[in-house]
């Protein structure tokens, strides 16, 4: 399990959910799902003094956090309706405006690179007339593959939020762990597990339907 420099105080075992939930709460999130993930990991990983302090933050002292994972899930469902693997992505500006949304279109476009993340990044960059998305957030329903993780780094995405883990093809917490490589010139903040259950159920249903045909 990769541990990035800014996550080292929490240890490798806490990387995937404990750290992500903690960091969200640390910037003021009051998202019930995030708090639940944090509490679950506290039980699994054991008490941590820093985590204990974070969990006690008063709601009045927290800034608001708006998740755009619902919009990503809508794109994923639309992709499934087109016969594409149901993955959706959303790019959000530093001011909180949605810059682009996209779902997988590899079959429709006959393009193996037309993953949701790539399409959303391309659309946001085209809208801004620039090749980088400094300060922007990316929401995606599934852990990005190595190709998409590299694109996220190249685009200088500030924060990556993703839902379901992808043990077979993921490139963030699985497999090559792109952001852990010294050759990776930019590492976004990473928050996983947002709407993970909904993302997983969508994927399972899609592939189950394929098998039944």
């Amino acid at each position: 399990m990769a541990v990035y420099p800014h996550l080292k105080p929490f240890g490798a075992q806490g990387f995937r959910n404990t750290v992500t939930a903690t960091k969200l709460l640390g910037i003021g999130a009051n998202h019930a799902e995030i708090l639940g993930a944090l509490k679950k990991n506290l039980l699994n990983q054991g008490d941590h003094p820093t985590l204990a302090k974070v969990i006690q933050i008063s709601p009045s002292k927290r800034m608001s956090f708006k998740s755009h994972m619902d919009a990503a899930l809508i794109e994923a469902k639309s992709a499934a309706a087109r016969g594409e693997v149901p993955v959706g992505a959303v790019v959000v500006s530093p001011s909180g405006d949605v810059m682009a949304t996209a779902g997988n279109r590899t079959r429709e476009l006959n393009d193996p690179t037309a993953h949701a993340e790539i399409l959303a990044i391309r659309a946001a960059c085209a809208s801004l007339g620039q090749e980088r998305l400094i300060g922007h957030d990316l929401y995606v329903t599934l852990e990005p593959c190595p190709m998409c993780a590299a694109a996220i780094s190249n685009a200088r995405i500030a924060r990556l939020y993703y839902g379901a883990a992808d043990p077979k093809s993921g490139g963030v917490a699985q497999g090559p762990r792109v952001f852990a490589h010294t050759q990776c010139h930019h590492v976004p903040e990473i928050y996983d597990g947002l709407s993970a259950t909904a993302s997983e159920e969508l994927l399972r249903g899609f592939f189950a339907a394929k098998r039944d045909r």
Side-chain angles (χ1 to χ4, degrees), residues 90-195:
V90 178
V91 174
V92 180
S93 74
S95 62
D97 297 323
V98 174
M99 299 300 297
T101 63
N104 277 4
R105 292 183 182 272
T106 58
R107 293 183 176 182
E108 176 186 345
L109 300 177
N110 299 312
D111 180 358
T113 71
H115 289 193
E117 303 97 310
I118 298 291
L119 295 177
I121 288 171
R122 286 176 181 169
C125 287
S127 175
L128 294 171
Q130 60 192 47
E131 79 280 15
R132 289 182 176 173
L133 298 172
I134 296 172
H136 288 62
D137 299 343
L138 176 68
Y139 290 79
V140 60
T141 56
L142 181 65
E143 177 184 350
C145 70
M147 174 185 71
C148 292
I152 289 166
S153 177
N154 289 334
R156 300 300 192 264
I157 292 290
R159 286 164 291 277
L160 167 64
Y161 301 87
Y162 70 85
D166 188 356
K168 291 184 177 179
S169 302
V172 178
Q174 322 283 338
R177 296 167 181 160
V178 170
F179 299 125
H181 283 258
T182 55
Q183 295 93 335
C184 184
H185 300 301
H186 170 76
V187 178
E189 295 178 14
I190 303 165
Y191 307 100
D192 71 340
L194 273 72
S195 300

